[in-house]
Coordinates of all heavy atoms in Angstrom, one line a residue:
P130 N -2.2 2.0 -8.8 CA -2.6 2.2 -7.4 C -4.1 1.8 -7.2 O -4.9 2.0 -8.1 CB -2.4 3.7 -7.2 CG -2.5 4.3 -8.6 CD -2.0 3.2 -9.5
V131 N -4.5 1.3 -6.0 CA -5.9 1.1 -5.6 C -6.5 2.5 -5.5 O -6.0 3.3 -4.8 CB -6.0 0.3 -4.3 CG1 -7.4 0.3 -3.8 CG2 -5.4 -1.1 -4.5
P132 N -7.6 2.7 -6.2 CA -8.2 4.1 -6.2 C -9.0 4.4 -5.0 O -9.5 3.4 -4.4 CB -9.1 4.1 -7.5 CG -9.5 2.7 -7.7 CD -8.3 1.8 -7.1
L133 N -9.1 5.6 -4.6 CA -10.1 6.1 -3.6 C -11.3 6.5 -4.3 O -11.3 6.9 -5.4 CB -9.5 7.3 -2.9 CG -8.4 7.2 -1.8 CD1 -8.2 8.6 -1.2 CD2 -8.9 6.2 -0.7
H134 N -12.5 6.4 -3.6 CA -13.7 7.0 -4.2 C -13.5 8.5 -4.2 O -12.8 9.1 -3.3 CB -14.9 6.6 -3.3 CG -16.2 7.1 -3.9 ND1 -16.8 8.3 -3.6 CD2 -17.0 6.5 -4.7 CE1 -17.9 8.4 -4.2 NE2 -18.1 7.3 -4.9
R135 N -14.1 9.2 -5.2 CA -13.9 10.6 -5.4 C -14.3 11.4 -4.1 O -13.7 12.4 -3.8 CB -14.5 11.1 -6.6 CG -16.0 11.0 -6.7 CD -16.5 11.6 -8.0 NE -18.0 11.6 -8.0 CZ -18.7 10.5 -8.3 NH1 -18.1 9.4 -8.6 NH2 -20.0 10.5 -8.3
F136 N -15.3 10.9 -3.4 CA -15.6 11.7 -2.1 C -14.5 11.6 -1.1 O -14.1 12.6 -0.5 CB -16.9 11.1 -1.6 CG -17.3 11.8 -0.3 CD1 -17.9 13.1 -0.4 CD2 -17.2 11.2 1.0 CE1 -18.2 13.8 0.8 CE2 -17.5 11.9 2.1 CZ -18.1 13.1 2.0
R137 N -13.9 10.4 -1.0 CA -12.8 10.3 0.0 C -11.6 11.0 -0.5 O -10.8 11.6 0.3 CB -12.5 8.8 0.3 CG -11.7 8.6 1.5 CD -11.8 7.3 2.2 NE -13.0 7.1 2.9 CZ -13.7 6.0 3.0 NH1 -13.3 5.0 2.4 NH2 -14.8 6.0 3.7
L138 N -11.4 11.0 -1.8 CA -10.3 11.7 -2.4 C -10.4 13.2 -2.1 O -9.5 13.9 -1.7 CB -10.2 11.5 -3.9 CG -9.0 12.1 -4.6 CD1 -7.7 11.4 -4.2 CD2 -9.2 11.8 -6.1
W139 N -11.7 13.7 -2.2 CA -11.9 15.1 -1.9 C -11.7 15.4 -0.4 O -11.1 16.4 -0.1 CB -13.4 15.4 -2.3 CG -13.9 16.8 -1.9 CD1 -13.6 18.0 -2.5 CD2 -14.7 17.1 -0.8 NE1 -14.2 19.0 -1.8 CE2 -14.9 18.5 -0.8 CE3 -15.3 16.3 0.2 CZ2 -15.7 19.1 0.2 CZ3 -16.1 16.9 1.2 CH2 -16.2 18.3 1.2
Q140 N -12.1 14.5 0.5 CA -11.9 14.7 1.9 C -10.4 14.7 2.3 O -10.0 15.6 3.0 CB -12.5 13.5 2.7 CG -13.9 13.6 3.0 CD -14.4 12.3 3.8 OE1 -13.9 11.2 3.6 NE2 -15.3 12.5 4.7
R141 N -9.7 13.8 1.7 CA -8.3 13.6 2.1 C -7.3 14.4 1.2 O -6.2 14.6 1.5 CB -7.9 12.1 2.1 CG -6.8 11.8 2.9 CD -6.4 10.3 2.9 NE -7.4 9.5 3.6 CZ -7.5 8.2 3.5 NH1 -6.8 7.5 2.6 NH2 -8.4 7.5 4.1
R142 N -7.8 14.8 0.0 CA -7.1 15.6 -1.0 C -6.0 14.8 -1.8 O -5.4 15.3 -2.7 CB -6.4 16.8 -0.3 CG -7.4 17.8 0.3 CD -6.8 19.1 0.6 NE -5.6 18.9 1.4 CZ -5.7 19.0 2.7 NH1 -6.8 19.3 3.4 NH2 -4.6 18.9 3.4
F143 N -5.7 13.6 -1.3 CA -4.7 12.8 -2.1 C -5.0 11.3 -1.9 O -5.6 11.0 -0.9 CB -3.3 13.1 -1.7 CG -3.0 12.8 -0.3 CD1 -2.4 11.5 0.0 CD2 -3.3 13.6 0.7 CE1 -2.1 11.2 1.3 CE2 -3.0 13.3 2.1 CZ -2.4 12.1 2.4
N144 N -4.5 10.5 -2.8 CA -4.7 9.1 -2.6 C -3.3 8.5 -2.2 O -2.3 8.6 -3.0 CB -5.2 8.5 -4.0 CG -5.2 6.9 -3.9 OD1 -4.9 6.3 -2.9 ND2 -5.5 6.3 -5.1
Q145 N -3.2 8.0 -1.0 CA -1.9 7.5 -0.5 C -1.3 6.4 -1.4 O -0.1 6.3 -1.6 CB -2.0 7.0 0.9 CG -2.6 5.7 1.2 CD -4.2 5.8 1.2 OE1 -4.7 6.8 1.0 NE2 -4.8 4.6 1.3
A146 N -2.2 5.5 -2.0 CA -1.8 4.4 -2.9 C -1.1 5.0 -4.2 O -0.1 4.5 -4.6 CB -2.9 3.5 -3.2
A147 N -1.7 6.1 -4.7 CA -1.1 6.7 -5.9 C 0.3 7.4 -5.5 O 1.2 7.3 -6.3 CB -2.0 7.8 -6.4
L148 N 0.4 8.0 -4.3 CA 1.7 8.5 -3.9 C 2.7 7.4 -3.8 O 3.9 7.6 -4.3 CB 1.6 9.2 -2.6 CG 0.8 10.5 -2.5 CD1 0.8 11.0 -1.1 CD2 1.3 11.5 -3.4
L149 N 2.3 6.3 -3.2 CA 3.3 5.2 -3.1 C 3.6 4.6 -4.5 O 4.8 4.2 -4.7 CB 2.7 4.1 -2.2 CG 2.5 4.5 -0.7 CD1 1.8 3.4 0.1 CD2 3.9 4.8 -0.1
A150 N 2.6 4.5 -5.4 CA 2.9 3.9 -6.7 C 3.9 4.8 -7.4 O 4.9 4.3 -8.1 CB 1.6 3.8 -7.5
R151 N 3.7 6.1 -7.3 CA 4.7 7.0 -8.0 C 6.1 6.9 -7.4 O 7.1 6.9 -8.1 CB 4.2 8.5 -7.7 CG 3.1 8.9 -8.7 CD 3.3 10.5 -8.9 NE 2.2 10.9 -9.7 CZ 1.2 11.6 -9.3 NH1 1.1 11.9 -8.0 NH2 0.2 12.0 -10.1
A152 N 6.2 6.7 -6.1 CA 7.5 6.5 -5.4 C 8.1 5.2 -5.8 O 9.3 5.2 -6.0 CB 7.3 6.6 -3.9
V153 N 7.3 4.1 -5.9 CA 7.9 2.9 -6.4 C 8.4 3.0 -7.8 O 9.4 2.5 -8.2 CB 6.8 1.7 -6.3 CG1 7.3 0.4 -6.9 CG2 6.5 1.5 -4.8
G154 N 7.6 3.7 -8.6 CA 7.9 3.9 -10.0 C 9.2 4.7 -10.1 O 10.1 4.4 -10.9
A155 N 9.4 5.7 -9.3 CA 10.6 6.5 -9.3 C 11.8 5.7 -8.9 O 12.9 5.8 -9.5 CB 10.5 7.7 -8.4
A156 N 11.6 4.8 -8.0 CA 12.7 4.0 -7.5 C 13.1 2.8 -8.4 O 14.2 2.4 -8.4 CB 12.4 3.4 -6.1
S157 N 12.1 2.3 -9.2 CA 12.3 1.1 -10.0 C 12.3 1.4 -11.5 O 12.7 0.5 -12.3 CB 11.2 0.1 -9.7 OG 10.0 0.6 -10.1
G158 N 11.9 2.5 -11.9 CA 11.8 2.8 -13.4 C 10.5 2.2 -14.0 O 10.4 2.3 -15.2
V159 N 9.7 1.6 -13.2 CA 8.4 0.9 -13.8 C 7.4 2.0 -13.9 O 7.1 2.8 -13.0 CB 8.0 -0.2 -12.8 CG1 6.6 -0.7 -13.2 CG2 9.0 -1.3 -12.8
P160 N 6.7 2.0 -15.1 CA 5.7 3.1 -15.3 C 4.4 2.9 -14.4 O 4.0 1.8 -14.1 CB 5.3 3.0 -16.8 CG 5.8 1.6 -17.2 CD 6.9 1.2 -16.3
V161 N 3.8 4.0 -14.1 CA 2.6 4.1 -13.3 C 1.4 4.4 -14.2 O 1.5 5.4 -14.9 CB 2.7 5.1 -12.1 CG1 1.5 5.1 -11.2 CG2 4.0 4.9 -11.4
V162 N 0.3 3.7 -14.0 CA -1.0 4.1 -14.7 C -2.0 4.5 -13.6 O -2.5 3.6 -12.9 CB -1.5 2.9 -15.6 CG1 -2.7 3.4 -16.4 CG2 -0.4 2.4 -16.5
L163 N -2.2 5.8 -13.5 CA -3.1 6.2 -12.4 C -4.5 6.0 -12.6 O -5.3 6.0 -11.7 CB -2.8 7.7 -12.2 CG -1.4 8.1 -11.6 CD1 -1.2 9.6 -11.5 CD2 -1.3 7.5 -10.2
D164 N -5.0 5.9 -13.9 CA -6.4 5.8 -14.2 C -6.8 4.4 -14.7 O -7.8 4.3 -15.5 CB -6.8 6.9 -15.2 CG -5.9 6.9 -16.4 OD1 -5.0 6.0 -16.5 OD2 -6.1 7.7 -17.3
A165 N -6.1 3.4 -14.3 CA -6.4 2.0 -14.8 C -7.6 1.5 -14.0 O -8.3 0.6 -14.5 CB -5.2 1.1 -14.6
L166 N -7.9 2.0 -12.9 CA -9.0 1.5 -12.0 C -9.8 2.7 -11.6 O -9.3 3.8 -11.3 CB -8.5 0.8 -10.8 CG -8.0 -0.7 -11.0 CD1 -7.3 -1.1 -9.7 CD2 -9.1 -1.6 -11.4
E167 N -11.2 2.5 -11.4 CA -12.0 3.5 -10.8 C -12.8 2.8 -9.7 O -13.2 1.7 -9.8 CB -12.8 4.3 -11.8 CG -13.8 3.4 -12.5 CD -14.6 4.2 -13.6 OE1 -14.2 5.4 -13.9 OE2 -15.6 3.6 -14.1
R168 N -13.1 3.6 -8.7 CA -14.0 3.1 -7.6 C -15.4 3.6 -7.9 O -15.6 4.8 -7.9 CB -13.5 3.6 -6.2 CG -14.0 2.7 -5.1 CD -13.5 3.2 -3.8 NE -12.2 2.7 -3.4 CZ -11.9 1.9 -2.4 NH1 -12.9 1.4 -1.7 NH2 -10.7 1.5 -2.1
R169 N -16.3 2.7 -8.3 CA -17.6 3.1 -8.7 C -18.5 3.5 -7.6 O -19.4 4.3 -7.8 CB -18.2 2.0 -9.6 CG -17.6 1.9 -11.0 CD -18.4 1.1 -11.9 NE -18.6 -0.2 -11.3 CZ -19.0 -1.3 -12.1 NH1 -19.3 -1.1 -13.3 NH2 -19.1 -2.5 -11.5
R170 N -18.4 2.8 -6.5 CA -19.2 3.2 -5.4 C -18.4 3.4 -4.1 O -17.3 2.8 -4.0 CB -20.4 2.2 -5.2 CG -20.0 0.9 -4.8 CD -21.2 0.0 -4.6 NE -20.8 -1.4 -4.4 CZ -20.3 -1.9 -3.3 NH1 -20.2 -1.1 -2.2 NH2 -19.9 -3.2 -3.2
R171 N -19.0 4.2 -3.2 CA -18.3 4.4 -2.0 C -18.4 3.2 -1.1 O -19.5 2.6 -1.0 CB -18.9 5.6 -1.3 CG -18.0 6.5 -0.6 CD -18.7 7.7 -0.1 NE -18.3 8.0 1.3 CZ -18.9 8.7 2.1 NH1 -20.1 9.3 1.8 NH2 -18.4 8.9 3.3
T172 N -17.3 2.8 -0.4 CA -17.4 1.6 0.5 C -17.1 2.0 1.9 O -16.5 3.1 2.1 CB -16.4 0.5 0.0 OG1 -15.1 1.2 -0.1 CG2 -16.8 -0.1 -1.3
R173 N -17.6 1.3 2.9 CA -17.2 1.5 4.3 C -15.7 1.3 4.4 O -15.1 0.5 3.7 CB -18.0 0.6 5.2 CG -19.4 0.8 5.2 CD -20.1 -0.4 5.9 NE -19.8 -0.6 7.3 CZ -20.0 -1.7 7.9 NH1 -20.6 -2.7 7.3 NH2 -19.6 -1.8 9.2
Q174 N -15.1 1.9 5.4 CA -13.7 1.6 5.8 C -13.7 0.1 6.1 O -14.6 -0.4 6.8 CB -13.3 2.4 7.0 CG -13.2 3.9 6.7 CD -11.8 4.3 6.2 OE1 -11.1 3.5 5.6 NE2 -11.5 5.6 6.3
Q175 N -12.6 -0.6 5.7 CA -12.5 -2.0 5.9 C -12.1 -2.3 7.4 O -12.4 -3.4 7.9 CB -11.5 -2.6 5.0 CG -11.8 -2.5 3.5 CD -12.8 -3.6 3.1 OE1 -13.9 -3.6 3.3 NE2 -12.2 -4.5 2.3
V176 N -11.5 -1.3 8.1 CA -11.1 -1.6 9.5 C -12.3 -2.0 10.3 O -13.3 -1.3 10.3 CB -10.4 -0.3 10.0 CG1 -10.0 -0.5 11.5 CG2 -9.1 0.0 9.2
G177 N -12.1 -3.1 11.1 CA -13.2 -3.5 12.0 C -14.1 -4.5 11.4 O -15.0 -5.0 12.1
L178 N -14.1 -4.7 10.1 CA -15.0 -5.6 9.5 C -14.4 -7.0 9.5 O -13.2 -7.2 9.4 CB -15.3 -5.2 8.0 CG -15.9 -3.8 7.8 CD1 -16.2 -3.6 6.3 CD2 -17.2 -3.7 8.6
T179 N -15.2 -8.1 9.5 CA -14.7 -9.4 9.4 C -14.4 -9.7 7.9 O -14.7 -8.9 7.0 CB -15.8 -10.5 9.8 OG1 -16.9 -10.3 8.8 CG2 -16.3 -10.2 11.2
A180 N -13.7 -10.8 7.7 CA -13.2 -11.1 6.3 C -14.5 -11.2 5.4 O -14.4 -10.7 4.3 CB -12.5 -12.4 6.3
R181 N -15.5 -11.9 5.8 CA -16.7 -12.0 5.0 C -17.3 -10.6 4.7 O -17.7 -10.3 3.6 CB -17.7 -12.9 5.8 CG -19.0 -13.3 4.9 CD -19.9 -14.0 5.8 NE -19.4 -15.3 6.2 CZ -19.6 -16.4 5.6 NH1 -20.4 -16.4 4.5 NH2 -19.1 -17.6 6.0
E182 N -17.4 -9.8 5.7 CA -17.9 -8.4 5.5 C -17.1 -7.6 4.6 O -17.6 -6.8 3.8 CB -18.0 -7.7 6.9 CG -19.2 -8.2 7.8 CD -19.0 -7.7 9.2 OE1 -17.9 -7.3 9.6 OE2 -20.1 -7.8 9.9
R183 N -15.8 -7.8 4.7 CA -14.9 -7.0 3.8 C -15.1 -7.4 2.4 O -15.1 -6.6 1.5 CB -13.4 -7.3 4.2 CG -12.9 -6.6 5.4 CD -11.6 -7.1 5.9 NE -11.1 -6.4 7.0 CZ -10.1 -5.6 7.0 NH1 -9.4 -5.3 6.0 NH2 -9.7 -4.9 8.2
H184 N -15.2 -8.7 2.1 CA -15.5 -9.1 0.7 C -16.8 -8.6 0.2 O -16.8 -8.1 -0.9 CB -15.5 -10.7 0.6 CG -14.1 -11.3 0.8 ND1 -13.1 -11.1 -0.2 CD2 -13.5 -12.1 1.7 CE1 -12.0 -11.7 0.2 NE2 -12.2 -12.3 1.3
A185 N -17.8 -8.6 1.0 CA -19.1 -8.1 0.6 C -19.0 -6.6 0.4 O -19.6 -6.0 -0.6 CB -20.2 -8.4 1.6
N186 N -18.3 -5.9 1.2 CA -18.2 -4.4 1.2 C -17.6 -3.9 -0.2 O -18.0 -2.9 -0.7 CB -17.3 -4.0 2.3 CG -17.2 -2.5 2.5 OD1 -18.2 -1.8 2.3 ND2 -16.1 -2.0 3.0
V187 N -16.6 -4.7 -0.7 CA -16.0 -4.2 -1.9 C -16.4 -4.9 -3.2 O -16.0 -4.6 -4.3 CB -14.4 -4.3 -1.8 CG1 -13.9 -3.4 -0.8 CG2 -14.0 -5.8 -1.6
R188 N -17.4 -5.8 -3.1 CA -17.8 -6.5 -4.3 C -18.5 -5.6 -5.3 O -19.3 -4.8 -4.9 CB -18.9 -7.6 -3.9 CG -19.2 -8.6 -5.0 CD -20.0 -9.8 -4.5 NE -19.3 -10.6 -3.5 CZ -19.9 -11.0 -2.4 NH1 -21.1 -10.7 -2.1 NH2 -19.2 -11.7 -1.5
G189 N -18.0 -5.6 -6.5 CA -18.5 -4.7 -7.5 C -18.1 -3.2 -7.4 O -18.7 -2.4 -8.1
A190 N -17.2 -2.9 -6.5 CA -16.9 -1.5 -6.2 C -15.9 -1.0 -7.2 O -15.8 0.2 -7.4 CB -16.3 -1.4 -4.8
F191 N -15.2 -1.8 -7.9 CA -14.1 -1.4 -8.8 C -14.4 -1.7 -10.3 O -15.1 -2.7 -10.6 CB -12.8 -2.0 -8.5 CG -12.3 -1.6 -7.1 CD1 -12.6 -2.5 -6.0 CD2 -11.7 -0.4 -6.8 CE1 -12.2 -2.2 -4.7 CE2 -11.3 -0.1 -5.5 CZ -11.6 -1.0 -4.5
A192 N -13.9 -0.9 -11.2 CA -14.1 -1.1 -12.6 C -12.8 -0.6 -13.4 O -12.1 0.3 -12.9 CB -15.3 -0.4 -13.1
V193 N -12.6 -1.1 -14.5 CA -11.5 -0.6 -15.4 C -12.2 0.2 -16.5 O -13.1 -0.3 -17.2 CB -10.8 -1.8 -16.1 CG1 -9.8 -1.2 -17.1 CG2 -10.0 -2.6 -15.1

Side-chain angles (χ1 to χ4, degrees):
V131 170
L133 283 184
H134 186 269
R135 61 181 183 281
F136 179 73
R137 194 156 285 144
L138 187 62
W139 171 77
Q140 274 182 323
R141 204 180 285 165
R142 299 193 305 266
F143 64 93
N144 174 5
Q145 77 280 357
L148 293 180
L149 293 174
R151 280 212 184 103
V153 172
S157 63
V159 171
V161 183
V162 186
L163 290 174
D164 53 1
L166 283 171
E167 61 184 11
R168 203 181 271 251
R169 287 195 298 198
R170 64 178 172 79
R171 218 175 136 197
T172 51
R173 291 165 64 196
Q174 293 273 21
Q175 298 278 73
V176 174
L178 301 183
T179 64
R181 188 185 293 267
E182 287 167 342
R183 282 170 179 248
H184 286 295
N186 188 33
V187 294
R188 193 172 296 136
F191 299 95
V193 174

